[in-house]
Amino acid sequence: MKSLKEHFFFILLLYINFCYGYQNDSIDIWIKQSRNKKINDFNRKKLLQKAYNQINIDKKEFPLKLSSIAYEYYNLKDTASFFKINKQALKLAQKNNHTYAIGDAHWNYATYFVRLDIYDKAYFHFNKAYLAFIRKKFKNEAAQVLLGMSHIKGNYRDYLGSEILDIKAVKIFKELKNYNKICSVYNHLGLLQYDIKEYDKAIFYYKKSINYYNKLSLKIRKKKKFSIFNNLANALLKKKKYGKALNFYNQELDKTLNLKQYARILDNRAYCKLLMKDTLGVKDNFYKALNIRDSINDKTGILMSKIRLSQYYSYAKDTFRAIKYIQEAKILGKRIKNGRDYLASLKQLSNLDVKNSKKYLDRYIEFNDSLISAERRIQNKFTRIEFETDEYIEETERLSQQRIWIIVTSIAGVFILSLLYFLRVQKVQNEKLSIEAEHQKANEEVYVLTLQQQAKLEEERIKERNRISEELHDGILGKLFGTRFGLGFLPIKGEEQTLEKHQSLLNELQDIEKEIRDVSHKLSDNFSNSNINFTSIIKQLLEDKGVIGNFTHNITFSPDIVWKDINEITKANIYRIIQEALQNIIKHAKAKKVILDFSLKNQDLVIKIKDNGVGFNSKKGKKGIGLKNIKTRIEKLKGSIEIKSEINVGTTLLINTPYIQKDGKKTINRVNN
């Protein structure tokens, strides 16, 4: 009986294991089938759904299957399903302390965020995955995650951090004899050295990568998405070893390449030949590469093609086409957020477009600074992520020493460069201020001379008017009077009509005398000729600006102001202040009426400029360059300014400046207040 029970339980156990094994195999088969790209996406998702439905969350090994299903949904770009299932996988893995599944779920998240270019989150999950894998000595996976972290740091120009991660990874891959990954790591190390212009080191790493590449099977070589020979040729190009570079480009073109690789190497080879000044077929190859890249929508490749075409046309002295292509490259670089090539396009534009060279150089400096700041912020995030973990992996003594020296050298270099840049900026700023001051002084001197010239002209004009007045009064008027007086006493006889005509002519002569006397008096009335010069200039300025700004105006001058007592420098500054204020009204106020009033108060000249424009918040509003210039001139005159403004009501400037005589002293109080 006992034997029968034992057989029964044995058979039951075999049945359970069979069912469980069948369930496991089915899930694996469906996941594997879902990877078949010959099946359409809808049916691939159905297979994944079947596998998901068979998952028993109570089984400890199933979190890994969940993360595998989540990853396949990621490949199918089904974001909602990916997040839902990967979240379940991570939660279940943590609950069951399934270290590998924890690492795999974090790896999924990292891969997803890399695709979206959200590198800080990607780095966080890579780091979590690495800690999980290394804890249980899943070395191959840990090394691959390190490589992903290294690529992110390299993208943000943290070359030292990226190099350290690569060296960690390559040690593990060497231990595992994973030549495929060793080849990839050395290639990346070469790219890092290339970026910091250490071309000899780059060539060294590329050659090591090629050594491991040659150990791979032909099948694996064909799957390689990057070309080490192309990268090596690029480094040789920078060393001006054009012949060797061309040889490697030609070797690459002889291989079986995909369209993206072919276009890249074709473009690089054409550029190499251009540098060798061998232009035979270069233009055709550049355009061929561009057309291929355009057909596969390789935007980064299109950007590089346009930069290269610009360089070609620059060499051919066709500046128009060179500028056209580099402008297109600049726009594309900005659109796809390719900072490196965007900067390259700005630099090339500054060389080609001489007229706008300064504008492009300023933009180059501004964008480069912002790019460095952004990269530093991301680098700091990476550092915080690393320090927030519970474990720290010790570095080798060589790398630690190297890092210290590089950091010290980098800090010293950055400090020196920053100091030199600061000194250069200060020097340029001082020179600019000096030139502006000289320019302002020259303008004032020109204006003073203009006023003096106008004063002389006005003085001569008044003298001439007085002379004419005297001629009319003392000469012509005297002669007319004598003639009329003589005619009046002539003993003329005749008919009554003749005598009346005679008297009528005498009366007309008397009227003419009166008119001449009035004209003479008006000509001799100099109406404060010292004032006419400056006031007429101000009136003319207001009229001219009124036409430009489409506003009416009203101007009043207090008769107590004697403009001849005010020195020319003061008048020149007053003119410029009014000119700047009117310019601000035209630009910003949208006023329909402007009032300008000059008066005296105590020992100050008071200038009131009022408009009925849109106004602004004088407490919160940012002061523009116009108001700053006005304040600077008023300070120069030892005066003061009061600004009153209301939104949709208007703005009033009330300017007080000392009333200065030509000897530089203040006048006495001229008006009773």
Side-chain angles (χ1 to χ4, degrees):
M1 188 72 179
K2 184 179 179 182
S3 179
L4 185 63
K5 285 182 178 178
E6 285 176 354
H7 282 294
F8 173 78
F9 281 112
F10 179 74
I11 292 166
L12 181 63
L13 184 63
L14 284 174
Y15 176 76
I16 291 168
N17 285 336
F18 171 78
C19 292
Y20 178 70
Y22 175 78
Q23 184 186 25
N24 259 340
D25 290 341
S26 298
I27 292 169
D28 291 335
I29 289 166
W30 288 327
I31 293 172
K32 187 176 180 180
Q33 286 176 344
S34 73
R35 296 183 184 126
N36 188 350
K37 293 182 180 180
K38 293 180 180 179
I39 303 171
N40 62 47
D41 289 356
F42 176 79
N43 287 323
R44 288 168 73 183
K45 288 180 184 179
K46 280 184 70 175
L47 287 165
L48 289 172
Q49 188 62 44
K50 283 174 72 175
Y52 176 75
N53 292 337
Q54 288 295 316
I55 295 290
N56 184 347
I57 60 172
D58 294 324
K59 297 294 181 181
K60 188 175 180 179
E61 57 271 36
F62 280 155
L64 187 57
K65 297 190 184 298
L66 276 173
S67 69
S68 296
I69 293 169
Y71 182 73
E72 295 309 322
Y73 271 116
Y74 161 81
N75 285 332
L76 290 167
K77 298 181 181 178
D78 186 343
T79 307
S81 298
F82 164 75
F83 266 106
K84 173 190 167 186
I85 297 171
N86 204 60
K87 185 178 179 181
Q88 287 179 342
L90 182 57
K91 189 176 179 181
L92 189 59
Q94 289 169 338
K95 180 182 176 182
N96 295 324
N97 197 27
H98 194 310
T99 308
Y100 190 94
I102 291 171
D104 198 59
H106 278 297
W107 197 354
N108 283 349
Y109 278 130
T111 308
Y112 172 77
F113 286 119
V114 165
R115 178 184 281 178
L116 293 181
D117 296 334
I118 306 174
Y119 291 108
D120 52 344
K121 289 187 177 181
Y123 192 87
F124 171 82
H125 287 290
F126 270 136
N127 193 57
K128 288 284 188 182
Y130 171 72
L131 293 173
F133 288 136
I134 205 68
R135 191 177 298 129
K136 293 294 182 180
K137 300 193 183 301
F138 298 113
K139 292 184 178 180
N140 185 56
E141 291 78 5
Q144 289 190 63
V145 168
L146 282 174
L147 194 54
M149 293 164 72
S150 170
H151 278 269
I152 291 175
K153 282 201 169 189
N155 287 343
Y156 284 92
R157 296 200 277 193
D158 184 359
Y159 299 114
L160 179 60
S162 182
E163 183 182 8
I164 289 169
L165 292 170
D166 275 343
I167 291 170
K168 280 185 184 179
V170 83
K171 282 186 175 180
I172 296 171
F173 287 135
K174 281 183 176 179
E175 184 182 336
L176 300 172
K177 296 184 179 180
N178 189 336
Y179 299 140
N180 184 21
K181 290 297 179 182
I182 295 170
C183 173
S184 299
V185 176
Y186 276 127
N187 180 67
H188 189 248
L189 281 166
L191 291 171
L192 293 175
Q193 298 302 319
Y194 180 90
D195 281 349
I196 60 173
K197 297 180 173 57
E198 290 286 347
Y199 301 119
D200 288 326
K201 281 189 177 181
I203 291 167
F204 169 78
Y205 282 123
Y206 288 140
K207 286 182 177 178
K208 287 185 79 71
S209 181
I210 289 169
N211 287 339
Y212 285 98
Y213 178 85
N214 291 331
K215 294 179 182 181
L216 302 175
S217 66
L218 186 61
K219 185 179 178 181
I220 295 175
R221 287 186 201 178
K222 286 182 178 179
K223 288 183 179 180
K224 279 291 179 188
K225 292 183 180 179
F226 60 86
S227 170
I228 313 159
F229 295 93
N230 175 68
N231 296 339
L232 175 58
N234 289 341
L236 290 167
L237 197 71
K238 291 293 184 181
K239 294 286 290 180
K240 297 185 179 180
K241 296 180 180 180
Y242 302 128
K244 288 184 177 180
L246 188 63
N247 183 43
F248 280 110
Y249 288 135
N250 288 331
Q251 285 184 49
E252 280 293 86
L253 286 173
D254 289 336
K255 296 177 182 178
T256 303
L257 304 168
N258 61 40
L259 285 173
K260 188 174 181 179
Q261 290 174 324
Y262 180 78
R264 180 172 63 245
I265 296 161
L266 188 67
D267 186 72
N268 287 341
R269 189 186 69 167
Y271 181 64
C272 179
K273 291 183 74 176
L274 180 63
L275 293 177
M276 295 171 74
K277 298 182 180 180
D278 177 10
T279 57
L280 184 64
V282 164
K283 184 173 77 170
D284 291 340
N285 285 334
F286 277 142
Y287 277 109
K288 186 176 180 181
L290 176 59
N291 291 334
I292 293 170
R293 286 164 163 173
D294 190 57
S295 68
I296 60 175
N297 198 30
D298 178 11
K299 287 187 170 58
T300 303
I302 292 168
L303 174 56
M304 180 51 68
S305 282
K306 291 193 174 183
I307 291 173
R308 293 279 171 79
L309 278 166
S310 175
Q311 291 169 332
Y312 169 79
Y313 282 115
S314 176
Y315 174 82
K317 311 237 181 274
D318 188 345
T319 308
F320 175 81
R321 289 188 181 178
I323 292 174
K324 172 183 174 293
Y325 277 108
I326 203 63
Q327 282 282 13
E328 291 176 1
K330 179 177 78 73
I331 293 165
L332 181 58
K334 188 174 182 181
R335 190 168 75 241
I336 66 174
K337 298 180 181 179
N338 186 324
R340 182 196 63 186
D341 291 336
Y342 178 67
L343 283 172
S345 65
L346 286 172
K347 191 172 183 180
Q348 194 161 329
L349 270 168
S350 71
N351 293 327
L352 291 169
D353 191 350
V354 178
K355 186 178 178 182
N356 298 306
S357 178
K358 185 180 181 302
K359 180 182 78 175
Y360 291 123
L361 279 174
D362 289 345
R363 178 60 185 144
Y364 177 90
I365 293 167
E366 179 187 356
F367 184 79
N368 190 49
D369 289 346
S370 67
L371 198 63
I372 291 169
S373 298
E375 287 169 350
R376 284 176 181 168
R377 286 195 296 272
I378 295 294
Q379 288 171 16
N380 289 337
K381 280 189 179 182
F382 297 156
T383 305
R384 286 197 297 273
I385 288 166
E386 291 169 349
F387 279 110
E388 284 167 2
T389 58
D390 296 326
E391 293 181 44
Y392 296 93
I393 311 301
E394 292 184 358
E395 301 293 339
T396 62
E397 187 176 348
R398 185 188 71 81
L399 287 177
S400 296
Q401 290 297 322
Q402 185 186 44
R403 182 166 188 164
I404 291 167
W405 277 109
I406 291 174
I407 288 171
V408 171
T409 306
S410 299
I411 291 170
V414 169
F415 176 76
I416 292 167
L417 288 172
S418 299
L419 183 61
L420 290 172
Y421 178 75
F422 175 76
L423 292 173
R424 173 65 180 162
V425 168
Q426 284 294 105
K427 184 181 177 184
V428 170
Q429 195 69 21
N430 291 336
E431 287 175 355
K432 186 179 178 182
L433 290 172
S434 176
I435 291 167
E436 285 178 356
E438 289 294 327
H439 184 65
Q440 184 176 333
K441 186 178 177 182
N443 283 345
E444 288 176 356
E445 287 176 355
V446 168
Y447 179 70
V448 167
L449 289 171
T450 303
L451 284 179
Q452 290 173 347
Q453 184 64 29
Q454 286 185 347
K456 287 181 181 179
L457 288 171
E458 192 64 29
E459 186 179 344
E460 291 300 320
R461 193 181 298 118
I462 290 168
K463 283 181 181 179
E464 183 63 18
R465 287 169 60 157
N466 288 337
R467 187 188 66 76
I468 294 169
S469 175
E470 288 173 3
E471 283 291 327
L472 288 172
H473 189 275
D474 298 339
I476 297 170
L477 190 60
K479 289 177 182 180
L480 278 173
F481 176 75
T483 303
R484 182 175 62 82
F485 191 77
L487 287 171
F489 283 96
L490 282 176
I492 298 174
K493 296 178 181 180
E495 296 177 358
E496 186 178 347
Q497 187 178 359
T498 302
L499 293 173
E500 286 177 0
K501 181 70 174 175
H502 175 260
Q503 187 60 42
S504 174
L505 290 170
L506 288 174
N507 291 339
E508 192 173 337
L509 281 172
Q510 190 173 10
D511 289 341
I512 292 169
E513 288 175 33
K514 186 175 181 300
E515 287 180 15
I516 291 172
R517 188 178 292 106
D518 289 343
V519 171
S520 175
H521 287 163
K522 285 180 181 177
L523 285 170
S524 63
D525 184 3
N526 292 332
F527 46 84
S528 185
N529 54 40
S530 61
N531 294 346
I532 189 66
N533 302 315
F534 187 73
T535 56
S536 61
I537 290 170
I538 296 296
K539 285 177 183 177
Q540 188 61 49
L541 173 65
L542 192 57
E543 286 176 10
D544 292 343
K545 296 296 182 184
V547 173
I548 296 169
N550 194 26
F551 58 75
T552 59
H553 53 82
N554 186 24
I555 185 168
T556 56
F557 295 92
S558 171
D560 297 297
I561 303 171
V562 182
W563 290 102
K564 71 177 181 179
D565 290 343
I566 301 175
N567 64 38
E568 305 301 342
I569 296 296
T570 301
K571 285 191 277 192
N573 278 290
I574 290 170
Y575 178 86
R576 295 300 185 199
I577 288 166
I578 295 166
Q579 187 182 49
E580 194 72 60
L582 293 174
Q583 194 63 30
N584 276 357
I585 290 169
I586 293 168
K587 280 185 180 178
H588 310 295
K590 299 178 183 177
K592 295 298 179 185
K593 186 174 182 180
V594 175
I595 295 171
L596 180 58
D597 178 71
F598 292 85
S599 61
L600 284 175
K601 184 177 181 181
N602 296 330
Q603 296 185 8
D604 287 340
L605 174 64
V606 180
I607 306 166
K608 182 179 178 183
I609 307 166
K610 184 177 181 182
D611 68 71
N612 64 347
V614 296
F616 62 92
N617 190 329
S618 57
K619 292 181 180 178
K620 293 183 180 178
K622 186 179 177 182
K623 303 296 186 292
I625 190 70
L627 281 176
K628 287 180 182 177
N629 289 341
I630 289 171
K631 286 186 174 181
T632 301
R633 289 185 179 276
I634 291 168
E635 287 171 6
K636 190 175 178 181
L637 297 175
K638 296 182 173 57
S640 63
I641 181 172
E642 183 181 354
I643 303 170
K644 297 178 182 178
S645 186
E646 288 184 52
I647 304 295
N648 298 325
V649 174
T651 304
T652 300
L653 301 184
L654 203 60
I655 300 162
N656 284 45
T657 181
Y659 185 66
I660 306 294
Q661 288 186 327
K662 286 201 173 185
D663 61 0
K665 297 177 182 177
K666 288 184 179 180
T667 64
I668 60 170
N669 187 356
R670 292 179 175 266
V671 290
N672 296 322
N673 294 288

